[in-house]
Amino acid sequence: VNTIEDRLRDELRAVADRVQPDSLRPLRVSAQRRRATTVRWLAPVTAVVAIAGIAVGVSLARQATSPPAPAAGARTQFYVTMNSAYVRAGTRPGTGPDGSNELVEWATVRDAATGAALTTVRLLVIHELKGRFGGIPLPQDQGIAAASDNRTFAVADQDGVFLLRVTPDGRSGRLTRVPASTRYEDAIALSPDGTRIAIQDWHCPGHNTACETRIRILSVATGTGRTWLGQLSGPARLAWTDNGRQVMFLWGDAGNFPATTYRLLDADAPPGSLLAHSVAMPYPAVPKDTAFLPTATPDGRNLIVVLATGRKEPGKFQLTDYRIVEMSPATGRITAVLYQAAIRWKLAPDQPYYGCQVLSVAGRGVHALVQCPVFGRLDGTKFTPLKSGSVPADLQEFGALAAW
Amino acid sequence: MSLVTPGTDSEHRAAAGLTELFREHHLELVRLALLMVGDRATAEDVVQDVFERLHRRWRHLHEPANGLAYARSSVLNACRSVHRRSAVARKHAPRLAADSAALGPDGPSALADRSELAQALRALPRRQREVLVLRYYADLDNAEIAATLRIAPSAVRSNCTRGLATLAGILGEDEK
């Protein structure tokens, strides 16, 4: 008998049973909405809950703003973050009518040495003309990836996939849409030369039908390319090999979890079965105490894995030891402990996950953007905190939103 | 009692289906939302909103007979939005102070349950949490969970395994 499973089942049932049928609030809709529909809701006898009518308009604004130039001669290497926030419109130029609210999504190009913001590109604005924030759809399906030139980035959101090209000084960026229709992006990866993009999403024939995972490799100029279908066990952690000819992805053997392995897909292979057209790489199985899926560096020489072990402490505190380690792809043995962090936290209501994760890798060797729990860069065993103001501390709810 | 007043035959059938769904599963859906957002008022709002949307879309569903799965998916999506909204609101607390009332008097973080295990569950990554709640509260099998979350059955299995392992790690006890 699995103790955790039994406890979980009992506790969930106990919480759920606190809501009894006779205590439920009945439903009703506003008079405004009733008039607007042919089929009307009849409020049950006791129904009295109003829903405010919310008019939602969507507009897109894509523009770049440029702060003062960085010091002449400064070495510039960039990373890009994606953020979203609610703002009260009408309180600053360029926002919607006074009294409305907006959901704003933007990308920020930052200096990789200091974290300083160099330019900001607005990605998506959704206006909510009246009422509360509850009517605004939230950012979903976000992703970000970088090409090897460190100046070409791909950003994805519910509006599509875009290329962000940054000028050599990082002071401005130009956004262009990749002409491809996408939904449910779980991972994107930009080829080293920035001409092709690998996208993992879901192919769903219809509601209530099991979906298949789809990996597509598309030209960023035309949106055309090839598609392979298969059943993955989770996010594929797509990564291009540094020669730009193949894409690595995580393949989960669901029947033998956690025996998740990397596979290699030839970008020019014929479309069809993902499994049939890819080959297994000699990477080791994922260790059981892996907190997040492993990341392979572009040169394929390193595998970066986050391991976690936790223990209880008095006062409902938990102490979780995180280790970011480098593993040998050949043997699966840990070859170096790159970074360690012990996070003591008290389980609190609705607390976001403040664990450690590897957000993006670049170049040869270990050069990674990580959050553990502080955001920063990891060069080998050297960790340098970077300004985290624009990166949500609760990245878990927003996805991995930084790349270089 | 019917929830909707039908006009045409097709509307009548749609109304009957939606009414039955409400009658049979309103409670279950509120409980599901409660387990995801931890606050009863928010949970009821979520389900209210889902039924409102279902009402508008019901006649356009490809398979109305599978309305429950669609409703479950909608509830989970809406709960996801609540989490994201509350996270954004926390981050921008000063700016949104005037709007805090919009999130409800308690805010979404007012948990109905403060047991150690329930709180550990809430600390899991979202997908793992959803899979565990659908498995151990709603008693859905892998195929049903996959259809509800629109993921592959293998992803259901891996998220369940990983979620249980993480829970055991957080609670400092063996998984078995």
Side-chain angles (χ1 to χ4, degrees):
Chain A
V1 176
N2 190 318
T3 306
I4 282 285
E5 288 180 304
D6 288 343
R7 280 185 63 188
L8 190 55
R9 190 173 279 114
D10 292 345
E11 298 246 8
L12 291 175
R13 183 64 57 191
V15 174
D17 284 349
R18 293 179 187 177
V19 181
Q20 291 301 311
D22 54 359
S23 66
L24 278 177
R25 225 167 45 192
L27 303 177
R28 81 171 193 188
V29 293
S30 64
Q32 179 184 353
R33 183 156 284 170
R34 287 203 302 270
R35 281 195 302 273
T37 55
T38 308
V39 180
R40 299 186 307 274
W41 291 72
L42 275 183
V45 175
T46 55
V48 254
V49 180
I51 295 178
I54 297 170
V56 177
V58 178
S59 70
L60 299 175
R62 302 185 182 279
Q63 61 189 38
T65 56
S66 300
R75 179 177 179 275
T76 308
Q77 188 182 9
F78 313 114
Y79 66 96
V80 175
T81 57
M82 279 180 78
N83 299 89
S84 51
Y86 292 112
V87 297
R88 165 77 61 191
T91 57
R92 56 192 175 81
T95 55
D98 194 10
S100 67
N101 300 314
E102 288 180 347
L103 171 67
V104 180
E105 182 184 287
W106 69 95
T108 304
V109 181
R110 293 181 170 272
D111 186 306
T114 66
L118 301 175
T119 190
T120 298
V121 178
R122 183 170 287 195
L123 299 172
L124 176 70
V125 178
I126 299 177
H127 293 294
E128 184 182 49
L129 297 183
K130 183 181 178 183
R132 56 184 187 169
F133 290 118
I136 297 184
L138 280 131
Q140 294 184 29
D141 305 328
Q142 292 175 320
I144 187 165
S148 61
D149 66 359
N150 195 227
R151 284 174 40 204
T152 309
F153 298 85
V155 292
D157 59 26
Q158 66 250 55
D159 190 38
V161 179
F162 299 85
L163 274 192
L164 172 62
R165 290 192 171 89
V166 180
T167 53
D169 61 4
R171 289 187 299 127
S172 67
R174 186 166 58 89
L175 206 63
T176 55
R177 180 186 289 271
V178 175
S181 116
T182 60
R183 283 193 75 189
Y184 306 116
E185 296 96 348
D186 266 11
I188 59 172
L190 200 53
S191 64
D193 62 4
T195 61
R196 293 195 283 184
I197 188 166
I199 301 173
Q200 180 211 349
D201 60 3
W202 299 95
H203 173 63
C204 302
H207 275 307
N208 308 312
T209 306
C211 302
E212 280 190 295
T213 302
R214 179 169 67 171
I215 291 182
R216 290 184 292 167
I217 296 181
L218 309 174
S219 157
V220 297
T222 64
T224 57
R226 304 183 181 197
T227 300
W228 297 268
L229 293 171
Q231 293 287 348
L232 297 187
S233 64
R237 301 288 273 197
L238 299 177
W240 287 80
T241 54
D242 56 1
N243 62 12
R245 294 177 185 164
Q246 294 158 314
V247 170
M248 296 182 285
F249 64 94
L250 274 176
W251 175 267
D253 179 355
N256 190 27
F257 188 83
T260 304
T261 57
Y262 264 103
R263 292 185 74 85
L264 205 55
L265 172 69
D266 190 325
D268 296 315
S273 163
L274 192 52
L275 190 57
H277 290 102
S278 60
V279 295
M281 297 180 70
Y283 280 129
V286 177
K288 194 175 180 183
D289 53 352
T290 299
F292 287 97
L293 295 173
T295 304
T297 55
D299 57 13
R301 296 175 184 169
N302 300 282
L303 198 60
I304 306 173
V305 183
V306 181
L307 306 176
T309 54
R311 62 177 181 271
K312 285 193 289 190
E313 291 208 322
K316 291 193 174 183
F317 279 93
Q318 302 290 328
L319 186 67
T320 305
D321 293 310
Y322 289 95
R323 287 185 302 156
I324 300 178
V325 303
E326 182 183 272
M327 290 177 63
S328 160
T331 66
R333 302 185 65 160
I334 296 174
T335 53
V337 177
L338 304 173
Y339 189 69
Q340 296 186 76
I343 302 177
R344 187 170 184 266
W345 49 309
K346 189 168 188 175
L347 293 173
D350 200 28
Q351 180 173 342
Y353 187 77
Y354 285 104
C356 295
Q357 55 185 318
V358 177
L359 303 177
S360 180
V361 294
R364 294 181 179 274
V366 176
H367 299 283
L369 291 174
V370 303
Q371 186 175 33
C372 193
V374 176
F375 178 80
R377 60 183 293 167
L378 188 62
D379 301 284
T381 57
K382 181 187 177 189
F383 176 78
T384 307
L386 293 173
K387 288 185 179 177
S388 59
S390 68
V391 179
D394 41 6
L395 274 171
Q396 187 62 33
E397 292 291 348
F398 288 83
L401 301 177
W404 66 358
Chain B
M1 179 184 300
S2 173
L3 278 173
V4 293
T5 301
T8 65
D9 284 350
S10 63
E11 287 172 349
H12 180 83
R13 284 193 295 274
L18 185 56
T19 300
E20 185 179 343
L21 179 71
F22 174 79
R23 200 175 275 149
E24 296 291 325
H25 300 289
H26 181 212
L27 176 63
E28 174 200 329
L29 292 171
V30 170
R31 287 173 166 174
L32 176 64
L34 173 67
L35 292 171
M36 294 309 299
V37 301
D39 168 62
R40 176 173 171 158
T42 305
E44 293 194 52
D45 282 349
V46 161
V47 176
Q48 161 93 26
D49 195 44
V50 164
F51 270 100
E52 172 108 352
R53 291 179 191 176
L54 275 175
H55 163 246
R56 278 180 272 140
R57 297 174 184 172
W58 191 257
R59 284 170 296 161
H60 306 294
L61 291 188
H62 295 301
E63 300 171 75
N66 289 327
L68 176 58
Y70 184 76
R72 282 198 191 108
S73 295
S74 302
V75 165
L76 291 174
N77 282 337
C79 290
R80 220 170 285 157
S81 296
V82 167
H83 281 299
R84 286 173 166 151
R85 267 200 301 278
S86 60
V88 172
R90 281 196 301 275
K91 183 169 177 250
H92 298 272
R95 187 187 303 165
L96 298 181
D99 302 292
S100 58
L103 294 173
D106 299 338
S109 62
L111 269 185
D113 186 274
R114 294 174 186 280
S115 79
E116 193 176 34
L117 188 95
Q119 290 176 28
L121 181 71
R122 229 169 283 285
L124 290 182
R126 184 243 315 161
R127 184 68 85 197
Q128 292 176 14
R129 191 168 65 232
E130 289 173 347
V131 167
L132 292 182
V133 168
L134 290 174
R135 165 72 50 82
Y136 295 106
Y137 163 67
D139 285 329
L140 302 188
D141 61 28
N142 282 345
E144 291 172 317
I145 296 172
T148 300
L149 297 178
R150 297 205 279 186
I151 60 177
S154 54
V156 173
R157 287 190 287 270
S158 62
N159 275 288
C160 187
T161 304
R162 194 175 289 273
L164 289 173
T166 307
L167 275 185
I170 289 175
L171 297 173
E173 64 180 54
D174 292 336
E175 191 178 346
K176 293 188 177 180

